[in-house]
Amino acid sequence: MVTDWIAQTQAERARAEADLRMIAGTTPQRMSRAEIVALVTALDDITTVLRDADPTDKAEVYRQLGLRLAYQPETQTVCAAVDLSAHRGAMVCVRGGT
C-alpha cells in the first residue's frame, strides 16, 4: 500500500512539475539522473500494480488514460493506441517488438 502511494505521489509530482514548466512558458529542462530513476521506479511500481489488478479496475485505469489495446490474432501482437488529446497531445499508436 505504501509503495503504491509513493509511486503515485512521484508520478503526480513529475506531472505537476511538467505542468508548471508549461504554464511558466519556459523551455523544459533536462531531468536529473535522480529524477529519471524516481520516475522509472514509480512506473515500474505502477506496472506491477496494474499487472496484478482486477480486470475491471485495470480496464477503468486504461479508459481514464485514453489507452486502447487491440489484439491482432493473425500476428499475435497488440496495438496500443493512446488518445493524448485530453492531455495536450494527439493520437499515438505503437506497433512491433516492444
Side-chain angles (χ1 to χ4, degrees):
M1 179 187 268
V2 173
T3 302
D4 295 342
W5 176 78
I6 290 170
Q8 180 182 3
T9 301
Q10 289 173 333
E12 287 175 7
R13 178 181 176 183
R15 200 169 33 253
E17 288 173 346
D19 287 345
L20 285 174
R21 284 192 297 269
M22 181 184 275
I23 291 169
T26 60
T27 304
Q29 295 185 3
R30 294 199 52 176
M31 296 172 66
S32 71
R33 183 172 182 83
E35 289 171 325
I36 293 170
V37 168
L39 183 59
V40 170
T41 301
L43 292 174
D44 184 50
D45 291 341
I46 291 168
T47 58
T48 301
V49 170
L50 284 173
R51 183 192 65 221
D52 299 336
D54 176 90
T56 304
D57 295 338
K58 192 182 304 188
E60 178 61 17
V61 169
Y62 292 164
R63 187 192 68 73
Q64 289 189 27
L65 289 172
L67 175 63
R68 295 190 190 276
L69 303 174
Y71 178 67
Q72 307 296 323
E74 315 80 49
T75 58
Q76 296 184 340
T77 59
V78 174
C79 178
V82 181
D83 181 1
L84 298 175
S85 61
H87 304 286
R88 296 182 294 282
M91 186 64 105
V92 176
C93 185
V94 178
R95 298 175 196 247
T98 55

